[in-house]
Amino acid sequence: MANVNIKPLADRVLVEPAAAEEKTASGIIIPDTAKEKPQKGSVIAVGNGKKDEPLTVQVGDSVLYGKYAGTEITVEGKEYLIMRESDIFAIV
């Protein structure tokens, strides 16, 4: 896991997106301009949750989220997404 000094607040989650696919299943190399944003990542940090709603995701979980979910941030040269737990669709 990455060691990041960011602590999300309330029901927010810090996610490290998975790397974009480099090849298709048949072996065709995908150029940078045609790559899609990943919709899968791993949870790096979680907030405390809301008063009546504890968080269900934990650090280390692999999650699926919406294509345009969250806000992109860069910390020490690495890209992360910070989003609400409600933007996460599933734990894989």
Side-chain angles (χ1 to χ4, degrees):
M1 284 293 122
N3 201 4
V4 179
N5 292 330
I6 295 178
K7 177 69 175 161
L9 299 177
D11 65 338
R12 288 184 172 75
V13 178
L14 185 69
V15 175
E16 182 178 15
E21 293 291 324
E22 300 283 330
K23 291 184 181 180
T24 62
S26 60
I28 299 173
I29 297 174
I30 301 171
D32 289 339
T33 56
K35 289 181 184 172
E36 291 190 21
K37 287 179 65 175
Q39 295 178 357
K40 184 177 182 181
S42 58
V43 177
I44 302 300
V46 296
N48 294 327
K50 291 185 178 178
K51 184 177 180 182
D52 298 329
E53 299 174 25
L55 292 176
T56 55
V57 296
Q58 298 174 353
V59 173
D61 285 348
S62 183
V63 295
L64 297 176
Y65 51 87
K67 185 176 275 192
Y68 301 106
T71 302
E72 295 178 355
I73 60 172
T74 304
V75 178
E76 298 175 4
K78 289 195 80 170
E79 297 285 327
Y80 297 101
L81 288 171
I82 190 160
M83 64 183 74
R84 292 192 179 273
E85 185 186 34
S86 60
D87 292 336
I88 296 174
F89 298 142
I91 299 173
V92 184

